[in-house]
């Protein structure tokens, strides 16, 4: 009976159901026979057909299918999950092994979120996937695949940064960077090259949350440190074709924000300001505005104050 039901479904939907371990029979009875039919089905109809948990997982997978080529989808069963590398408001990052290669799995958590927040989290995940598919550059972290068959999360398989983020490196081993001009120049040049690439797109792409925590540190074959940009969940495309274009959008991290961002105005010049803060971190090793609240930082920056240069 299940086999007969599967033959009535669109093959791409069958593959998706197999990944999610959802039996196709109920979808056939509800006349939901294709990915497009699932996308157009109401939440209540889908929950009635296959239950709330399966409906949520299937809807998430269908939404990601719109921006994720099938060849990038990786079944979770192929992964060997290793140690947790980090966690944040987005979810967790784990080291994983895929076909003998060590990668990082960034899991964006969807479990337990109210509908509006769930939708916004999915939009951020799809923005990041879309950006990484399009923006292939030596100094931008590479996307290896997307995991859409885990209930409660969307996963992105990324290059594994052996040294973590630039902020991690400066916190744990500042002597590897501070006072070493060649290393500082190389890391700053890597970030600047990635920024120039993003801003040269038509229309320009703005990262929107440029900071040392979103700069990953790799080691080249020659043993040199190398920086790559990551975390494009807040990335936006500037309207128009010039770098003078602006977007009204909240987001980002206050310590790296230019004054105009406090009014939700974001420009390519705003990212140059954030880059300057990263250069300050490379020089000093410390955290910008450490110990200051967001309100205090905003007042200081509005008055023209900047992190002090002491070296």
């Amino acid at each position: 009976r299940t086999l007969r039901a599967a033959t009535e479904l669109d093959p791409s939907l069958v593959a998706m159901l197999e990944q999610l371990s959802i039996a196709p029979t109920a979808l056939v009875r509800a006349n939901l026979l294709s990915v497009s039919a699932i996308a157009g089905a109401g939440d209540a109809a889908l929950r009635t057909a296959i239950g709330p948990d399966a409906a949520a997982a299937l809807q998430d997978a269908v939404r990601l299918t719109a921006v994720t080529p099938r060849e990038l989808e990786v079944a979770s069963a192929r992964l060997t999950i290793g140690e947790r590398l980090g966690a944040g408001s987005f979810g967790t990052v784990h080291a994983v092994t895929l076909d003998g290669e060590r990668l990082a799995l960034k899991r964006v958590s969807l479990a337990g979120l109210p509908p509006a927040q769930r939708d916004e989290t999915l939009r951020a995940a799809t923005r990041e996937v879309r950006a990484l598919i399009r923006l292939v550059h030596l100094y931008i972290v590479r996307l290896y695949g997307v995991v859409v068959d885990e209930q409660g999360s969307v996963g992105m398989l990324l290059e594994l940064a052996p040294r973590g983020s630039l902020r991690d490196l400066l916190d744990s081993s500042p002597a590897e960077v501070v006072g070493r001009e060649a290393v500082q120049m190389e890391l700053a040049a890597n970030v600047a090259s990635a920024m120039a690439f993003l801003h040269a797109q038509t229309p320009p792409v703005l990262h929107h949350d440029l900071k040392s925590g979103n700069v990953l540190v790799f080691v080249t074959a020659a043993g040199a440190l190398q920086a790559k940009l990551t975390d494009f969940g807040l990335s936006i495309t500037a309207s128009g074709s010039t770098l003078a274009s602006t977007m009204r959008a909240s987001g980002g991290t206050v310590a790296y924000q230019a004054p105009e961002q406090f009014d939700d105005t974001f420009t390519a010049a705003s990212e140059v300001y954030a880059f300057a803060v990263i250069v300050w971190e490379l020089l000093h090793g410390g955290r910008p505005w450490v110990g200051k609240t967001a309100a205090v930082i905003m007042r200081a920056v509005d008055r023209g104050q900047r992190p002090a240069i002491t070296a």
Side-chain angles (χ1 to χ4, degrees), residues 83-86 93-96 101-106 138-144 156-169 172 187 212-220 224-231:
E83 69 272 23
R84 192 173 82 165
L85 302 175
V93 179
H94 281 80
V96 299
E101 185 169 8
R102 277 176 57 83
L103 300 171
L105 173 63
K106 177 180 178 180
L138 178 60
Y139 302 124
I140 293 176
V141 69
R142 179 180 171 187
L143 176 72
Y144 280 81
M156 283 167 267
L157 288 165
L158 306 167
E159 287 182 274
L160 178 63
R163 304 305 305 272
S165 72
L166 176 58
R167 187 62 262 164
D168 293 335
L169 178 63
S172 63
L187 294 174
S212 58
N214 285 337
V215 176
L216 298 183
V217 180
F218 294 77
V219 181
T220 69
L225 297 182
Q226 184 181 75
K228 299 188 181 188
L229 293 189
T230 190
D231 201 349

Side-chain angles (χ1 to χ4, degrees), residues 11 34 56 71 133 194 237:
S34 66
E71 61 268 21
I133 290 173
T237 301

Side-chain angles (χ1 to χ4, degrees), residues 108-282:
V108 180
S109 179
L110 302 171
L113 297 180
Q117 189 177 352
R118 185 186 183 90
D119 289 345
E120 177 50 41
T121 301
L122 265 176
R123 282 193 291 270
T126 55
R127 278 196 300 270
E128 184 161 11
V129 169
R130 185 184 293 115
L132 291 173
I133 290 173
R134 173 188 172 195
L135 303 171
V136 178
H137 186 271
L138 178 60
Y139 302 124
I140 293 176
V141 69
R142 179 180 171 187
L143 176 72
Y144 280 81
V146 180
V147 179
V148 297
D149 64 347
E150 292 185 317
Q151 291 195 18
S153 70
V154 174
M156 283 167 267
L157 288 165
L158 306 167
E159 287 182 274
L160 178 63
R163 304 305 305 272
S165 72
L166 176 58
R167 187 62 262 164
D168 293 335
L169 178 63
L170 292 173
D171 285 342
S172 63
S173 305
E176 292 190 54
V177 178
V178 178
R180 303 183 64 182
E181 184 176 342
V183 174
Q184 293 166 332
M185 290 294 292
E186 180 65 20
L187 294 174
N190 296 163
V191 176
S193 178
M195 288 175 60
F197 170 76
L198 294 174
H199 294 175
Q201 301 301 302
T202 305
V205 173
L206 308 181
H207 184 281
H208 208 52
D209 195 17
L210 189 64
K211 59 183 180 182
S212 58
N214 285 337
V215 176
L216 298 183
V217 180
F218 294 77
V219 181
T220 69
L225 297 182
Q226 184 181 75
K228 299 188 181 188
L229 293 189
T230 190
D231 201 349
F232 285 79
L234 291 176
S235 63
I236 55 177
T237 301
S239 57
S241 59
T242 70
L243 294 184
S245 302
T246 64
M247 288 294 292
R248 302 280 298 183
S250 59
T253 304
V254 171
Y256 300 82
Q257 287 183 332
E260 64 272 13
Q261 289 180 258
F262 303 149
D263 294 322
D264 290 342
T265 300
F266 195 85
T267 71
S270 308
E271 297 208 324
V272 176
Y273 180 98
F275 173 72
V277 177
I278 292 174
V279 172
W280 181 92
E281 292 177 274
L282 290 171

